[in-house]
Amino acid sequence: MLTSMKIVTAEEAVKVIKTNDRVHIHAIGCAPQKLIQAMCERGRRKEFKNVRLQHLHTEGPAPYTAPEFEGVFLLESFFAGANVRKDTQAGYADYIPGFLQDTQRLIREGYCRPNVALIQTTPPDKHGFVSLGCSVDATLAAIETADTVIATINPRMPRSFGDALIPMDMIDIFTEDDAPLIEGHFAEPSPEEAQIGKYVAELIEDGATLQMGIGSIPNAVLSQLNNHKNLGIHTEMFADGVLNLVRKGIINGKNKAIDRGKIVSTFVMGSKEVYDFLDDNPGVAMMDVGYTNNEFIIAKNPKVTAINSALQIDLTGQVCADSLGTKFYSGVGGQVDFVRGASLSPGGKAIIAMQSVTNKGISKIAPVLANGAGVVTTRAHVQWIVTEYGAVNLYGKTMQERAKMLISIAHPDHREELDRAAFERFGPHFHFVG
C-alpha cells in the first residue's frame, strides 16, 4: 500500500505551512518529531512568521517554544506539560484553558480550527485505513477540519481501534519515519504516595469503572487493587499500571453498562510495553475526547470512580489543579469532566488525591488559594479528598465542617496554623463544629 502513496521528505511536506497559519500537532508520544524538526528549520530561516501551534500535552522535545522563535511560532497549548512549562510561564508560549472534552469542540466549531495538522500514524492496512495509535483526543477533530493533513507513517506506531482508525483519503501528504515512539516513565511511588494509594483503594468498590490521571499516585492506587473484582476502565488516559490487573482478570469490564468488556481511552502514555499492549488489541477502544470525557456518557457506567490530583486546596474545598499562583503549571484537563461524570454515575465517587505537602514542605491544604491560582474543581463539585493522612468526603458539608475535615488530613506540622486560620475566618464557634 505504501507504494501507491506519494511519499515526500519531511522538509518537503512542511513547505505548505505559511505565515499566520495555525498548526495542530499530534499529542503525547505521537508528536511527529521529524516534521517538528523540519518545521523549526524553516522557522530558523524566517520563511514564515506568526504561526500558531496547537496541541494537548506532548512528550519529547518541543523546540518551537524556545526564545529564538519569538515572532515565528506561538504555542497555544491546551495543557502546559513539562516540555513547554518553563517557556509558557516565561510568556514565550501560551495556554488555552478549557475542559478536555471541549478541545475537540473548539476545533470543530472553528474557534481553534487549524490550517495544517501534523500527525503520526501506522502504515495503512489492506483496507486503506491507518490508525492514530496512542492518541485520538482532539487530533481527530483537527484532521477533519484542517486544510492540509500531513502524516508520518511509522511502523512502530501501535494499531489501535475505535475512532483511531481513519481512511487514507483523509490525509493529503505522507512522510516516513521508523523512530521509536517517545515513552513516558513514572517514578516509583514514595511511601506517602503508597499510603494514599491504600486509602483510595479502600474507596473503590468491586465492579467500579475507573478513571485515573497521570503520575505515580494513580500507579500507587492500581498496585493496591489485586483483591478487587470486575473493574472496568473508562478514562481519558491509561499507562502501564493497568497491565498487571488486566492480565489477572481484575480489569475485565464485565460490569460496565456501555462498552462492556472494553477499556475506553482517548490517549495512552507509558512505556513500550503499554504500546505493545495497545497494538491490535480489540479490547481497547481509542475514542474521540468528546466521547471519553462527556459527563453524560461517563455517568452511564455504574460506580464510576474518578481519581485526580491537585496542586492546592483551600479550607472550603476549592481545588486548584492547573497553576501555581499566577504561573500555569499544567491545565484544566479532564478533571472536571470526570468529577461531574462520577457524581452523576449510580454509586459513583469523585476523588482528589494528593500528598499533604509539596517537596519543599509547604502545605497543599491552605487557608485560601495562592494569589492568582485558578479554581478547576469548585467547592460545589468536590467530594472525596485523600492525603497520606486519610480520606474525607466534603460533599454536602458546611464550610466549617469542611475546614475541620481538611485540617484532619493535613500534615501535622501545619494543622495548628490551619486551625488558627479557620478560627479567624469562622469565629470562636468554629471549635464547636463537628
Side-chain angles (χ1 to χ4, degrees):
M1 185 66 74
L2 279 175
T3 57
S4 66
M5 295 186 298
K6 182 182 179 183
I7 305 294
V8 302
T9 65
E11 292 74 19
E12 182 69 23
V14 299
K15 286 182 180 180
V16 300
I17 300 172
K18 59 186 184 300
T19 293
N20 296 328
D21 272 355
R22 176 181 274 121
V23 178
H24 181 94
I25 300 174
H26 206 164
I28 317 300
C30 294
Q33 295 299 326
K34 266 186 151 180
L35 290 173
I36 291 170
Q37 292 163 13
M39 178 181 67
C40 287
E41 284 304 312
R42 284 197 67 203
R44 288 189 180 94
R45 296 193 296 267
K46 301 294 191 291
E47 295 182 12
F48 45 61
K49 61 182 179 180
N50 300 327
V51 171
R52 294 172 180 263
L53 304 178
Q54 169 197 99
H55 62 59
L56 278 74
H57 171 66
T58 61
E59 290 291 299
Y64 37 80
T65 63
E68 68 172 301
F69 291 118
E70 186 171 13
V72 178
F73 298 121
L74 175 62
L75 174 65
E76 301 173 329
S77 64
F78 293 110
F79 191 96
N83 58 349
V84 301
R85 185 172 298 140
K86 181 178 178 181
D87 290 325
T88 300
Q89 292 174 349
Y92 294 107
D94 212 342
Y95 159 65
I96 300 174
F99 303 125
L100 191 59
Q101 67 170 303
D102 285 346
T103 54
Q104 53 78 32
R105 181 181 174 188
L106 289 169
I107 292 171
R108 287 187 170 112
E109 294 187 3
Y111 298 96
C112 301
R113 189 186 72 82
N115 303 97
V116 179
L118 305 181
I119 68 173
Q120 189 166 200
T121 75
T122 63
D125 62 22
K126 64 182 181 180
H127 303 291
F129 282 78
V130 298
S131 175
L132 299 176
C134 51
S135 168
V136 177
D137 44 76
T139 295
L140 180 58
I143 293 167
E144 291 172 355
T145 58
D147 300 318
T148 305
V149 178
I150 306 173
T152 294
I153 300 293
N154 191 335
R156 297 178 188 260
M157 178 71 77
R159 182 173 180 265
S160 61
F161 299 102
D163 290 336
L165 288 171
I166 63 170
M168 289 171 57
D169 61 13
M170 294 183 73
I171 298 168
D172 301 292
I173 302 172
F174 294 91
T175 66
E176 291 181 290
D177 193 10
D178 64 353
L181 296 187
I182 293 171
E183 301 177 31
H185 296 285
F186 308 104
E188 285 295 313
S190 66
E192 292 80 10
E193 290 168 333
Q195 183 60 54
I196 292 169
K198 290 179 182 178
Y199 284 131
V200 173
E202 291 171 0
L203 296 175
I204 297 172
E205 301 176 40
D206 288 344
T209 301
L210 304 182
Q211 175 263 337
M212 277 163 285
I214 297 171
S216 50
I217 289 178
N219 285 339
V221 174
L222 290 165
S223 70
Q224 299 294 326
L225 300 178
N226 288 296
N227 293 319
H228 280 65
K229 297 177 182 178
N230 299 327
L231 299 177
I233 300 286
H234 182 111
T235 185
E236 65 201 32
M237 68 82 61
F238 70 90
D240 295 62
V242 306
L243 301 185
N244 186 51
L245 296 176
V246 172
R247 294 183 186 115
K248 291 183 176 180
I250 294 168
I251 291 176
N252 55 35
K254 288 182 178 179
N255 281 34
K256 293 178 70 177
I258 59 171
D259 304 309
R260 185 174 284 116
K262 291 185 183 294
I263 294 174
V264 173
S265 184
T266 196
F267 67 88
V268 170
M269 178 176 163
S271 70
K272 184 178 182 298
E273 185 179 7
V274 78
Y275 295 152
D276 289 344
F277 169 79
L278 180 62
D279 186 45
D280 266 330
N281 188 343
V284 181
M286 295 294 292
M287 305 300 291
D288 187 290
V289 72
Y291 181 85
T292 61
N293 285 54
N294 182 307
E295 65 265 38
F296 300 107
I297 291 173
I298 294 165
K300 289 181 179 180
N301 281 311
K303 299 181 183 178
V304 172
T305 306
I307 304 158
N308 290 280
S309 193
L311 296 171
Q312 192 179 48
I313 299 175
D314 76 5
L315 286 177
T316 72
Q318 294 187 113
V319 177
C320 174
D322 69 343
S323 58
L324 297 170
T326 59
K327 299 293 186 182
F328 291 107
Y329 185 82
S330 53
V332 171
Q335 182 172 124
V336 178
D337 301 337
F338 277 94
V339 165
R340 189 64 180 150
S343 300
L344 296 171
S345 163
K349 297 173 184 174
I351 300 169
I352 303 293
M354 64 176 193
Q355 283 190 240
S356 63
V357 295
T358 69
N359 55 14
K360 294 182 180 179
I362 300 170
S363 179
K364 290 187 178 182
I365 297 174
V368 295
L369 296 180
N371 186 36
V375 176
V376 170
T377 295
T378 73
R379 57 171 73 103
H381 287 106
V382 75
Q383 292 188 354
W384 287 93
I385 306 293
V386 180
T387 74
E388 69 270 30
Y389 294 102
V392 295
N393 188 359
L394 306 186
Y395 197 61
K397 302 300 182 181
T398 68
M399 294 297 103
Q400 294 182 46
E401 288 172 329
R402 288 165 180 241
K404 281 276 191 183
M405 296 169 81
L406 287 167
I407 291 169
S408 75
I409 60 169
H411 193 285
D413 291 350
H414 296 280
R415 291 179 189 173
E416 183 177 345
E417 175 189 355
L418 292 168
D419 191 69
R420 188 181 307 114
F423 180 87
E424 292 173 356
R425 180 168 185 169
F426 299 115
H429 46 276
F430 170 72
H431 288 302
F432 298 98
V433 174

